[in-house]
Amino acid sequence: MPRLSYRKALNRALADELARDEEVFLLGEDIRVAASNVTAGLLKRFGPERVRDTPLSEQAFTSFATGAALAGARPVVEFQIPSLLFLVFEQIVNHAHKFPLMTGGQCAVPVTYLVPGSGSRTGWAGQHSDHPYSLFAHVGVTTVVPATPADAYGLLVSAIRCDDPVVVFAPAGAMEVRSDVDVASLRPVPLGRGRVHRRGDDVTVVAVGHLVHDALAVADDLADQVSVEVFDPRTLYPFDWDGLLTSVSRTGRLVVVDDSNRSCGIGAEVIASVVERVRLHAPPRRVTRPDGAVLPFAPALDRAVQPGREQLRSAIQHLMKDG
Amino acid sequence: MTEADPVRLYRTVRLIRRFEERAIDLVRSGHVVGGIHPYLGQEGVAAGVCAALRPGDVVAGTHRGHGHVLAKGADPARTMAELCGRVTGLNRGRGGSMHAADFAVGVLGANAIVGAGGAIVTGAVWARRRRGEDLVGVSFLGDGAVNEGMLLEAFNLAALWRVPVLFVCENNGYATTMPVAGAVAGSITGRAEAFGIPASVVDGQDPEAVRAATAAAVGRMRAGGGPEFIEARTYRFDAHHTFEHAVRLDYRPPEEVARGRSRDPVEIAGSRLAPDRRAEVDASVEAELDAVVAFALAGPEPDPAGALEHLYASGLTARAGGG
Ligand SMILES: Cc1ncc(C[n+]2csc(CCOP(=O)(O)OP(=O)(O)O)c2C)c(N)n1
Ligand SMILES: [Mg+2]
């Protein structure tokens, strides 16, 4: 079976949607030459009207996309750096997200915001290493963080077809993942539906984005001690609460591994939402970035601030001792 | 209207004037909560600009937006109902004064964020022209907006991509309490000129002068030209916001206010009509506004159970907030 890379899956999703729907177009910095490699070959195939390289004007081109969407287009906006989302948070939250309600349902704003390489890029330090997906879940903007190439394809396609704004985080830690995929079998993946990557009976580990791969590795390592179920929400907002509750109701234990800062991160919401509904055998745990994290430059420091396999392993082991 | 039509222009100016005065009454009587930013004194700008537009053209307004909405052709009764928060309002009571929108007549909405409309209307016009529609857009903005970075980015995008948007700066002398001289380095028109956008200054108190200047700019844009800029010199007759009716803020010398109010667009447009014709128009506006207020106050209040209706165009529903 052919090997599909995560990056190529995103590229294929963009190409397929550009080919399928004339209203889809791309906006972003250096997308003409595919600096992020996600738009490779698209200019040649679809031309500069639909693969629009922009000046460095994130706020204006984000709202330009809002306007185009109000007029019926389906823009996909690529951001070079995850922290650029801070720069355009106002444009996304205060305008794109609020227009349908504020106008009493007169419009839709189907824009996709794509961040290839979110989270730590190792060595890019403080201002390039953020992973602000929890902010978008907090404000109620549809937010997806695909872990695998097939999900990257399927979720990006669904994001583009969605009538609401959607932020797509493609974690740097997942961008190099390749998997055996029958390309002909690639399909849209529904938004708001999680996926159990590994069945288990003792504990549910909710892992977000690239951390799914770490969770699977830890689950394998611990296989002779504990049976770990790995649940990948894929979409953080709207969250697949039914899927997760089904899993946790069976295992009775919960650990979340999440690349957000701890306070108000999605991990906190996952735990709160589960304990509101399910009586667990042991207090739940979460493995996250520290509060207020700024990723330091030196590689050992950068790694120290991100949730890691060792932390996850010990969280699972401690939790099993707790009950 | 590429030709002068003094009666129609006067009627629009008079309608906006009396609409605002009625709205202020409704603020005082408690029917309009949150207050309004009265457009009193600036009526000639919205009336003159929109008189030179076609129904298919689009406009983006500001927080001081009732004049733009009415001049572009929204139903005054549904506009007033919106200010009163009724389901019969333009936005079904979800927007209020600062978000009144009527997509059916090309009003992409008043917008409470200073400087936000320019990029949105640029994107909307670009997307519709790409589909072969022949339209232009107008972005209304205040003198305060010319210091917002996002608006300057929007000038650049519109000029670079030759999107026919007319930026209309209503220079009423103040951003809240801040005089232009205390806030604007260089000049207002100089900002547009820096991007190669043709800019002119017009007497905003003379609706016919505004109409003629707009018709000329829009004519060039329809003939294939890029964006243009008009600075309309005007004066705000009343408060920045109706909260000022209760809280005296000391920032405009009384002599200046008297001088500003001496050039009244309603008088300037009215003086061009025969007195009996003018009296007829006044009577018809008064009769219309009686019906407008009656319609607004008769509208049902929205059902709190549907407070988050229209939040998502995709049909997604949000989790409730209760315990
Ligand atoms: C980005 C932003 N900053 C501040 C405000 C608060 N605010 C509302 S209106 C206003 C003054 C705007 O002045 P101007 O653009 O001249 O319009 P005018 O009120 O004179 O019509 C301010 C500061 C806002 N709404 N948006
Ligand atoms: Mg002003």
Side-chain angles (χ1 to χ4, degrees), chain B residues 42 63-64 141-145 169-176 178 180 234 236 240:
Chain B
Q42 302 181 206
H63 55 285
R64 199 176 304 290
L141 52 114
D143 51 274
C169 176
E170 301 187 61
N171 178 0
N172 61 9
Y174 293 84
T176 315
M178 172 62 82
V180 170
T234 183
R236 160 161 69 69
H240 167 67

Side-chain angles (χ1 to χ4, degrees), chain B residues 45-323:
Chain B
V45 184
V49 167
C50 292
L53 300 181
R54 297 176 183 162
D57 295 330
V58 292
V59 308
T62 67
H63 55 285
R64 199 176 304 290
H66 309 164
H68 313 133
V69 173
L70 295 172
K72 188 64 176 62
D75 175 10
R78 293 182 57 220
T79 308
M80 194 67 92
E82 186 56 36
L83 304 194
C84 295
R86 307 304 168 103
V87 288
T88 44
L90 291 176
N91 308 31
R92 301 184 165 98
R94 269 69 177 174
S97 165
M98 282 191 281
H99 306 298
D102 189 352
F103 280 56
V105 299
V107 179
L108 302 184
N111 197 312
I113 298 302
V114 171
I120 293 174
V121 75
T122 301
V125 170
W126 177 84
R128 287 176 58 174
R129 288 182 75 88
R130 192 169 79 80
R131 228 182 275 133
E133 291 178 51
D134 174 22
L135 83 164
V136 302
V138 172
S139 165
F140 289 100
L141 52 114
D143 51 274
V146 304
N147 299 318
E148 291 287 356
M150 183 181 48
L151 184 73
L152 303 177
E153 291 182 13
F155 288 176
N156 189 52
L157 280 195
L160 190 69
W161 294 344
R162 290 185 69 74
V163 185
V165 170
L166 176 63
F167 295 95
V168 177
C169 176
E170 301 187 61
N171 178 0
N172 61 9
Y174 293 84
T176 315
T177 68
M178 172 62 82
V180 170
V184 179
S187 71
I188 290 176
T189 50
R191 283 158 169 67
E193 283 159 352
F195 297 96
I197 299 176
S200 58
V201 178
V202 64
D203 176 4
Q205 301 311 88
D206 181 343
E208 173 52 25
V210 175
R211 188 206 59 79
T214 305
V218 164
R220 289 186 292 271
M221 297 196 314
R222 290 200 205 284
E228 302 228 5
F229 185 97
I230 291 176
E231 176 187 345
R233 298 256 169 91
T234 183
Y235 197 74
R236 160 161 69 69
F237 283 10
D238 198 329
H240 167 67
H241 179 274
T242 46
F243 77 73
E244 256 188 81
H245 293 162
V247 186
R248 274 260 149 266
L249 299 176
D250 185 18
Y251 60 96
R252 299 203 297 188
E255 318 77 66
E256 180 199 290
V257 177
R259 207 177 333 113
R261 294 180 67 108
S262 73
R263 297 206 63 247
D264 184 338
V266 176
E267 292 312 315
I268 290 170
S271 69
R272 293 175 182 148
L273 268 56
D276 52 341
R277 189 78 184 90
R278 182 176 173 182
E280 266 171 47
V281 172
D282 290 355
S284 104
V285 165
E286 234 40 51
E288 180 175 357
L289 285 171
D290 288 344
V292 160
V293 172
F295 175 87
L297 296 181
E301 313 246 358
D303 177 0
L308 285 187
E309 269 170 24
H310 315 296
L311 178 57
Y312 297 106
S314 63
L316 178 64
T317 51
R319 283 192 295 171

